[in-house]
Amino acid sequence: MAHRFVDIDGVRVFYRETGPADAPTLLLLHGFPTASYQFRRLMDALGDRYRLIAPDYPGFGLTEAPEDFTYSFDRLADVVEGFVTTLGLDRFVMYTFDFGGPVGFRLATRHPEWIAGLIVQNSNLYEEGLSDLARGMIANRPGVEGAEANVRQILELPVTRGQYEGGTTDVELIAPDGWILDQHFLDLPGRKEAQVDLALDYHSNVALYPEWQQWLRDHRPPALIVWGRGDVFFPEAGARAYLRDLPEAKLHLFDTGHFALEENLPEIAPLIADFVDNLKKDTPMKIAVIGATGNLAGAVAREAAARGHQVTALGRENMDVTDPASIKEAVAGHDAVVAGIKGPDRLVPRGALALLEALPLAEVNRLVFLGGGGSLEYAPGQRFVDSPNFPPQYLETARDQAEALGILRSAQTPVEWSYVSPPPVHLVPGEKTGTYRAEARDTPITDENGESRVSVGDYASAIVDALENASFVRERFTTAY
């Protein structure tokens, strides 16, 4: 195992790394009041099979932050985001524990393309997953009388030790090294002040729970949930709540406390190995791309092929997109269809209807429909295609694409469709950068300048991500920077 430092915007981030560089990567995000040290045994257990990387956040462990660093969960996520970018990690399984949830889900919403899968261990995203004790601590926030004093009470040795030993079945299995080392770092100059600031900011995480839950529903990442049911902060209900948004997730409960790895590593490590070995993205898909000679569908076809998927290019010469029988014959045996349709005489909506009829007959249940940005809204109920200054040369196609969206949304169909809208104006030539955002919404994604823009390469990457992760099912999504 290597022990390293890397500079991220003036923060000297300490991290541990082990495993083959070309193996599947796991990013291990620690909790409070610990650091990457909590993953030492897991990294030893799995380091011969996977690349495991565990950083210390600012204010924790061996990471060194400047005196003027602002301790908030947004800033912790900023530093971890910079860490991931600096190490060149573009796809990984994310392990979230405790504070690792608020940090990690900020990363996930910023970079959904990074997340190959989730391992959730006593990391809460749900109101019912908050105990009365946790709710009392979250009530401490800036301006609340006595809040800082309340927080400081949990930064002392008896509480630190209690977080390790509470809820366990056999306290003799809990090594004292963890809580002794955690308290050492808590007692360093400035560390308790940092923890007070973070505790008073914890309410910002609860406010984001709905957004993170929506992210789970939109992206449907493969997930393994392991949980110590004796956790005094995050009870068992928080673990089970994930199944509402990720019904295919694997849930395993253990009769232990908050730090489940301390007592149940021998049971949890094999579950993690099985989960990583069976991720969906590791199995190439057979994807039929209709309109693959076109600009956008062609970009999707190239991106899918570059990722190792088997791509069948379909066009007018080998299929009639308005004939269900022709479609059925062409796409049978594929795992998914990507449809980029363009033409006169309402070809787009007629193609949408024919696809919805043909795909169940062909036993293909996944469709990504390349739609337009004109049906996005610039104001509530106000679509770009209906605005008086919409370019007349694109009007017929934009109206056809909007009609196709209506057909998909109103269909009673087993087809798991997604409709993707590019930015209404700035879908620009360019390669993949991997830094785009993708969200289920009816308005464009805009940057800090109010502009919605994405390259064709990133647009194609977002679509292949949606296929690999089975995300945005029966939803319209859009992508931009």
Side-chain angles (χ1 to χ4, degrees):
M1 188 182 302
H3 304 82
R4 302 185 173 115
F5 288 91
V6 63
D7 184 87
I8 307 296
D9 295 330
V11 177
R12 190 167 183 252
V13 175
F14 172 82
Y15 68 102
R16 305 166 195 268
E17 179 174 357
T18 189
D22 59 350
T25 299
L26 283 77
L27 179 67
L28 310 176
L29 299 178
H30 67 79
F32 165 85
T34 185
S36 61
Y37 181 75
Q38 77 164 92
F39 294 116
R40 68 206 179 279
R41 294 173 60 220
L42 180 67
M43 296 176 81
D44 282 339
L46 299 180
D48 62 333
R49 301 175 62 176
Y50 313 110
R51 185 185 183 194
L52 297 103
I53 299 173
D56 292 354
Y57 312 140
F60 295 80
L62 292 164
T63 288
E64 302 169 7
E67 290 186 3
D68 61 351
F69 186 85
T70 299
Y71 288 93
S72 69
F73 283 91
D74 282 342
R75 289 293 291 126
L76 296 191
D78 292 342
V79 172
V80 176
E81 180 182 19
F83 172 81
V84 169
T85 302
T86 300
L87 267 61
L89 310 179
D90 58 7
R91 189 77 172 168
F92 50 82
V93 176
M94 187 169 69
Y95 186 119
T96 65
F97 166 69
D98 189 55
F99 275 21
V103 173
F105 278 93
R106 281 173 169 83
L107 291 189
T109 54
R110 296 175 190 180
H111 297 281
E113 72 280 3
W114 285 355
I115 311 302
L118 290 175
I119 301 170
V120 177
Q121 190 248 300
N122 292 77
S123 175
N124 184 58
L125 294 191
Y126 297 88
E127 288 281 350
E128 60 262 51
L130 298 171
S131 68
D132 290 341
L133 178 60
R135 293 178 188 277
M137 292 307 302
I138 294 167
N140 294 308
R141 58 189 68 189
V144 174
E145 184 177 355
E148 179 174 339
N150 292 338
V151 172
R152 287 186 176 274
Q153 293 177 12
I154 70 168
L155 305 179
E156 301 302 329
L157 183 59
V159 179
T160 302
R161 179 174 181 172
Q163 290 188 64
Y164 279 80
E165 297 181 342
T168 60
T169 299
D170 185 352
V171 73
E172 292 184 354
L173 296 177
I174 309 303
D177 312 56
W179 49 265
I180 291 172
L181 187 61
D182 288 353
Q183 194 62 45
H184 162 75
F185 286 120
L186 280 174
D187 291 338
L188 291 178
R191 288 296 181 89
K192 288 184 178 175
E193 288 73 18
Q195 296 303 328
V196 167
D197 288 347
L198 288 169
L200 299 184
D201 185 52
Y202 200 92
H203 65 92
S204 70
N205 303 324
V206 179
L208 289 170
Y209 282 178
E211 179 181 335
W212 296 337
Q213 294 160 17
Q214 185 64 50
W215 186 91
L216 293 174
R217 292 191 292 272
D218 288 345
H219 292 273
R220 297 173 64 181
L224 169 67
I225 303 163
V226 292
W227 207 276
R229 63 193 343 154
D231 192 330
V232 298
F233 297 104
F234 304 137
E236 179 181 330
R240 296 190 180 279
Y242 277 92
L243 299 181
R244 287 204 304 268
D245 298 320
L246 297 175
E248 296 181 1
K250 305 299 183 183
L251 171 63
H252 298 269
L253 301 170
F254 296 90
D255 291 323
T256 190
H258 189 59
F259 285 91
L261 288 177
E262 296 297 309
E263 187 172 13
N264 290 102
L265 177 76
E267 295 82 16
I268 293 174
L271 294 174
I272 292 173
D274 288 345
F275 172 72
V276 176
D277 289 343
N278 289 290
L279 285 175
K280 293 178 183 178
K281 73 176 281 293
D282 292 337
T283 303
M285 291 186 291
K286 294 182 66 176
I287 304 172
V289 180
I290 298 171
T293 57
N295 180 34
L296 301 185
V300 175
R302 291 190 296 274
E303 175 66 19
R307 298 195 195 185
H309 300 297
Q310 182 178 335
V311 175
T312 302
L314 298 175
R316 291 185 177 90
E317 67 281 0
N318 50 20
M319 190 197 70
D320 180 354
V321 76
T322 65
D323 179 4
S326 176
I327 296 171
K328 175 189 173 183
E329 181 179 355
V331 305
H334 289 80
D335 300 305
V337 172
V338 174
I341 306 172
K342 185 177 180 180
D345 301 322
R346 297 183 60 253
L347 183 66
V348 179
R350 289 192 294 128
L353 287 167
L355 284 163
L356 291 176
E357 181 179 344
L359 264 58
L361 300 175
E363 298 184 349
V364 178
N365 69 348
R366 187 73 172 109
L367 168 68
V368 176
F369 198 94
L370 308 189
S375 58
L376 291 168
E377 298 178 357
Y378 61 88
Q382 303 295 313
R383 303 184 304 178
F384 286 94
V385 68
D386 300 322
S387 64
N389 58 349
F390 192 86
Q393 65 269 33
Y394 304 125
L395 189 57
E396 179 181 6
T397 297
R399 285 175 173 167
D400 285 351
Q401 290 169 331
E403 184 180 351
L405 174 59
I407 289 169
L408 293 172
R409 282 178 163 170
S410 62
Q412 300 297 315
T413 176
V415 176
E416 295 185 342
W417 60 267
S418 301
Y419 181 103
V420 57
S421 288
V425 178
H426 297 298
L427 176 60
V428 297
E431 299 301 314
K432 177 176 69 173
T433 69
T435 60
Y436 61 86
R437 291 181 288 160
E439 298 176 14
R441 55 193 290 170
D442 286 326
T443 56
I445 298 171
T446 57
D447 60 19
E448 62 274 9
N449 299 315
E451 184 175 83
S452 183
R453 174 184 294 268
V454 77
S455 71
V456 171
D458 282 324
Y459 165 87
S461 185
I463 291 166
V464 180
D465 283 346
L467 286 170
E468 290 181 343
N469 297 327
S471 53
F472 303 115
V473 171
R474 297 186 179 88
E475 292 182 310
R476 183 247 289 275
F477 73 98
T478 186
T479 182
Y481 299 126

